[in-house]
Amino acid sequence: MSNSVNVANENGVAVVIIDNPPVNALSFHVREPLHAALAALRDDATARAIVIVCAGRTFVAGADITEFGKPVQQPELRAIVALLETIAKPTVAAIHGTALGGGLELALGCHFRVADAGAKLGLPEVKLGLLPGGGGTVRLPRLVGAAKALGMIVSGTPISAGEAKAAGLVDAVFDGDLIAQAVRFAGEAAAKGGSLAPMRERNDRVAETDLAAFDRQAAELARKARGLEAPLACAEAVRNAITLPFDEALAAERALFVKLVAGDQSRAQRHLFFAEREAAKIQGKDVTRRKIARVGIIGAGTMGGGIAMAFANGGFPVTLLETGEEALQRGFALIEKNYAVSVGRGSLTEEARQQRLGLFKGSTDYADLADCDLVIEAVFEDMAVKKVVFGKLDAVARPGAILATNTSYLDVDEIAASTSRPQDVLGMHFFSPANVMKLLEIVRADRTAPDALATVAELARRIGKVPVVVGVCHGFVGNRMLSARGAENEFLLLEGATPGQVDKAFTDFGWPMGPFQMGDLAGLDIGWRNRKARGLTAVVADTLCEQGRFGQKTGQGWYRYESGSREPIADPDVEALIRAKAAEFGIARREIGADELIERTLYPLVNEGARILEEGIAVRASDIDVVWANGYGFPIGKGGPMFWAGLEGAAKIVERLEHWHRLTGRVIFEPAPMLRRFAETGSWEGAGG
Ligand code: 3H9
């Protein structure tokens, strides 16, 4: 047949094998021979049933995302599924690995689906700013019911084979030789005979939908969509599947897909999909990775405990080190509490909890780190303290062990230089809570060995993190840009804005929360301590801290909080303080519009990103986007700050930065040469070191 699609005959059952590494995406060169093979088999009397399987590590993981935005080449997936539905003999999709997006839609065109016990099935298109465009929104509800389908399609989260069986999505789950069992299953179905109803005739599940309950569920999901179009389109399409005739619902799904795929949000989310994978690729692909079997964590505070959990969740044995028994027990108590919450919530089984807790070993003796292959220091953010820790570590760690610091700001070169083995030292900057947040900034110090870097990047993906390699500078990529984003905050308040207005401009933009809400959540004392250490001041924020207003944890910060609530309430005392400070400095307050709020916060964010690129602290503009989308809540529908700069118009950004620079003289507004170049060429290419 072709390299991508082959057909074998097993005892009168045709086995169609899709072979398109790495993930069997439905590229044009698969669709064409697949359509031809199915058309031939439909009329082939020697085949009494058809099984569709995939070679390699997974069933079809979806449409080929690289083809989006290009002219569509026929046959489309929809045509293949439509063809499948005209076949009168049993058709069976045999699923291993993942059946995702177009892959699951292909399977939905079959009469039956059987799955390997370890398989996962889902429609993750929403994560690419899309909805399933191959009939998934219309066919899935017919198998699993509208409520379940809506949940799966709007979340994009795949379900296990077991859950799929319980929901009616798959007909059988097999252990062992999937193809042999699928062939037997198909043969038996053929032997049974009788008519096989295609999905378009299976209306029972949708007919029983409680439409009012469905609409309530959809409204709740829409509330959480935060400006993203795709989740709303997904809900609309599933509703169509219930309320419209089959073909009309399919046509409506198609129209929604065509609109989304051409839109900026999907472009942005597809950019992030590839950017994340690109960021994980680091130079020195060919270097041999070091073996990491046991991980040591120094410091069992919130950060150290979270990092330890991240590794235990990934199946790694962890040695947790503290200065004393009491601190160690406190650390373990926190870890146990976190796991108990997960069990209570139903996101972790009791068995998995036991298993993970069994991976921990506690110690107060550095000598116990001698068998660790990677040790991560997560102690107090102070250079002198870190150097003492690395000195002790250097004395006990085995040769070749990777020694990492979780510092958020400090100079990793200086830390590395305090050891006898700087080639083994790097930064692993986790984000809090470290067991939840996906981003990991891997800090490459001057003398970090390429194999140490490559090992950690690969390891990061194994524990479900999104790694980005960054260079050494104060705050690395994320926190350095965060400082630039917040540099105008106090000025904006003094000149006339309120914390609520600034935060609203941010949430309207699509951020989960604004900078003042975020400050209250993180604790205002952290920034205060940092400022004091660096001899800096912030007139309003410092005064709040002097008043003991540290944010949510003290019930007061930029906002007030009712006891036990996280809902920010505007506080007249804070507004009075701002007015008083403005008067003290002789600043006349005025109305500040949302546009200005964005210009003075997000344009400097982009500008600092350009400088970071220029200095080679980040290697690619898209790495910066990955940092901001995964670590700081930059709206994914805008693709990260550097992608958004293109959407917003770099020339406009430069022009407005110049304006603010002229007016204030402040350096954060001085357009970076790299940004000017981007404005001229439309490309960030040629950046970095
Ligand atoms: C869709 O189906 C739309 C339809 O409803 C309608 C159509 C009309 N296309 O992630 P990995 C590449 S939308 C092209 O590192 P893993 C990926 O870039 C699609 N390329 O592996 C990488 O390339 P490289 C719905 C793809 O084992 C390589 O494969 N489906 C695609 O960690 C390995 O990927 C999805 O959204 C693709 N669809 O994870 C699923 N998928 O090596 C998207 C992957 O050059 N895919 N690549 O960097 C995934 O979630 C993961 O790749 C998967 C494997 C879980 C499958």
Side-chain angles (χ1 to χ4, degrees):
M1 294 262 347
S2 83
N3 288 335
S4 309
V5 176
N6 293 291
V7 179
N9 194 303
E10 302 271 349
N11 301 324
V13 173
V15 181
V16 179
I17 307 154
I18 299 172
D19 187 4
N20 184 26
V23 298
N24 288 312
L26 288 173
S27 317
F28 169 63
H29 64 91
V30 171
R31 294 196 307 275
E32 194 178 45
L34 181 60
H35 189 274
L38 292 172
L41 289 170
R42 178 181 53 185
D43 306 322
D44 181 348
T46 66
R48 52 199 177 101
I50 301 169
V51 174
I52 301 177
V53 299
C54 286
R57 67 189 210 225
T58 179
F59 193 76
V60 174
D64 184 338
I65 305 169
T66 62
E67 289 182 2
F68 294 156
K70 299 178 187 157
V72 180
Q73 286 176 291
Q74 302 295 343
E76 287 182 72
L77 169 62
R78 291 181 306 149
I80 298 173
V81 179
L83 169 65
L84 268 171
E85 288 191 329
T86 64
I87 298 179
K89 53 188 117 189
T91 50
V92 179
I95 296 165
H96 76 293
T98 47
L100 298 177
L104 183 56
E105 293 176 300
L106 178 71
L108 285 169
C110 295
H111 297 115
F112 304 102
R113 283 142 299 281
V114 301
D116 174 70
K120 287 199 152 52
L121 300 88
L123 293 171
E125 285 87 342
V126 71
K127 296 184 180 169
L128 298 168
L130 298 170
L131 82 167
T137 65
V138 185
R139 292 189 179 88
L140 186 63
R142 288 179 153 72
L143 281 183
V144 305
K148 176 87 182 164
L150 182 67
M152 281 178 70
I153 294 172
V154 174
S155 73
T157 309
I159 60 174
S160 66
E163 192 179 342
K165 171 82 169 59
L169 176 54
V170 303
D171 302 280
V173 176
F174 295 132
D175 270 320
D177 188 340
L178 177 67
I179 299 184
Q181 296 180 87
V183 166
R184 190 170 334 114
F185 182 98
E188 284 167 8
K192 245 189 245 158
S195 77
L196 295 158
M199 211 66 84
R200 63 171 56 242
E201 287 166 21
R202 297 172 65 167
N203 295 324
D204 303 359
R205 296 291 318 255
V206 290
E208 73 197 17
T209 309
D210 174 347
L211 201 56
F214 178 90
D215 284 341
R216 280 196 300 278
Q217 186 190 356
E220 180 56 23
L221 294 169
R223 210 176 51 77
K224 294 187 191 146
R226 234 187 267 138
L228 291 177
E229 294 153 10
L232 307 185
C234 288
E236 186 182 334
V238 179
R239 193 177 199 281
N240 290 339
I242 308 160
T243 55
L244 298 182
F246 190 85
D247 287 326
E248 280 178 41
L250 277 185
E253 177 198 85
R254 183 66 194 164
L256 286 167
F257 181 87
V258 167
K259 190 162 159 245
L260 287 179
V261 81
D264 284 342
Q265 290 191 355
S266 176
R267 271 203 316 121
Q269 288 177 253
R270 273 148 37 208
H271 158 75
L272 285 172
F273 176 86
F274 289 113
E276 278 174 21
R277 280 150 185 83
E278 204 54 36
K281 288 179 198 149
I282 57 171
Q283 287 152 2
K285 209 175 177 176
D286 300 332
V287 296
T288 311
R289 309 300 194 256
R290 301 187 193 181
K291 189 172 156 287
I292 306 290
R294 173 173 281 279
V295 178
I297 313 286
I298 305 176
T302 314
M303 206 60 206
I307 298 171
M309 285 175 73
F311 279 97
N313 297 351
F316 287 89
V318 174
T319 304
L320 194 55
L321 188 94
E322 254 299 348
T323 45
E325 198 55 42
E326 206 179 304
L328 192 59
Q329 289 321 320
R330 247 197 330 267
F332 276 128
L334 191 64
I335 290 172
E336 285 184 28
K337 189 175 137 221
N338 286 338
Y339 279 135
V341 169
S342 303
V343 172
R345 243 197 249 126
S347 56
L348 189 73
T349 63
E350 177 53 30
E351 194 192 347
R353 185 183 80 93
Q354 299 280 356
Q355 204 176 26
R356 288 176 193 185
L357 285 174
L359 290 168
F360 288 98
K361 194 171 99 181
S363 173
T364 55
D365 183 356
Y366 272 77
D368 286 334
L369 297 174
D371 62 348
C372 293
D373 309 294
L374 163 70
V375 182
I376 304 167
E377 159 281 307
V379 303
F380 194 63
E381 191 75 339
D382 179 291
M383 183 55 90
V385 176
K386 304 248 186 211
K387 282 186 178 171
V388 171
V389 166
F390 271 81
K392 290 183 185 168
L393 189 53
D394 197 10
V396 299
R398 67 161 188 74
I402 298 174
L403 313 183
T405 168
N406 175 54
T407 181
S408 322
Y409 290 97
L410 299 176
D411 183 342
V412 183
D413 285 324
E414 193 178 334
I415 295 174
S418 75
T419 71
S420 64
R421 39 175 129 182
Q423 74 281 0
D424 297 333
V425 178
L426 45 73
M428 287 177 80
H429 181 209
F430 287 85
F431 289 72
S432 190
N435 50 316
V436 178
M437 294 292 287
K438 287 209 162 301
L439 179 63
L440 177 66
E441 281 184 328
I442 302 176
V443 188
R444 177 207 299 257
D446 261 357
R447 295 175 61 188
T448 305
D451 67 332
L453 205 63
T455 302
V456 170
E458 194 173 279
L459 185 68
R461 288 204 84 191
R462 275 171 60 197
I463 60 167
K465 300 294 173 200
V466 178
V468 179
V469 175
V470 301
V472 175
C473 66
H474 187 80
F476 314 121
V477 169
N479 282 341
R480 174 170 157 185
M481 287 174 70
L482 185 66
S483 295
R485 191 190 80 171
E488 285 291 287
N489 283 354
E490 290 256 330
F491 292 115
L492 288 169
L493 297 181
L494 295 173
E495 290 171 36
T498 63
Q501 283 166 352
V502 178
D503 286 344
K504 181 168 184 310
F506 270 67
T507 49
D508 286 351
F509 185 87
W511 296 86
M513 63 179 82
F516 295 105
Q517 284 169 294
M518 189 178 125
D520 273 3
L521 178 67
L524 301 183
D525 50 325
I526 300 175
W528 190 34
R529 232 189 358 250
N530 265 336
R531 283 193 297 278
K532 282 201 280 198
R534 303 179 68 207
L536 303 173
T537 55
V539 287
V540 188
D542 287 355
T543 311
L544 290 180
C545 289
E546 281 155 18
Q547 294 171 352
R549 300 182 65 126
F550 293 161
Q552 284 188 17
K553 61 184 165 192
T554 58
Q556 291 178 318
W558 291 108
Y559 298 93
R560 259 186 329 106
Y561 299 87
E562 302 285 358
S563 91
S565 161
R566 288 163 174 261
E567 197 57 44
I569 303 167
D571 189 338
D573 289 350
V574 174
E575 286 166 28
L577 170 69
I578 295 168
R579 276 196 304 276
K581 289 288 174 193
E584 195 181 316
F585 288 94
I587 300 170
R589 300 185 85 240
R590 63 186 168 88
E591 199 65 36
I592 299 186
D595 282 354
E596 181 177 336
L597 296 176
I598 295 297
E599 282 181 12
R600 291 175 63 183
T601 51
L602 300 193
Y603 289 6
L605 178 77
V606 170
N607 201 31
E608 195 65 24
R611 287 185 187 148
I612 279 173
L613 212 48
E614 228 158 61
E615 293 167 24
I617 298 295
V619 177
R620 318 169 185 90
S622 61
D623 286 359
I624 297 176
D625 290 334
V626 173
V627 166
W628 274 81
N630 287 285
Y632 297 83
F634 195 99
I636 51 172
K638 293 189 164 73
M642 310 311 272
F643 185 86
W644 173 70
L647 294 178
E648 179 77 351
K652 174 181 163 196
I653 296 178
V654 169
E655 193 253 306
R656 295 308 290 163
L657 283 170
E658 280 170 342
H659 166 82
W660 292 112
H661 189 233
R662 265 195 311 276
L663 222 63
T664 67
R666 288 194 280 272
V667 70
I668 56 153
F669 290 126
E670 190 176 355
M674 182 68 75
L675 180 61
R676 289 186 189 282
R677 205 162 85 203
F678 178 59
E680 281 155 24
T681 63
S683 161
W684 291 114
E685 288 286 303

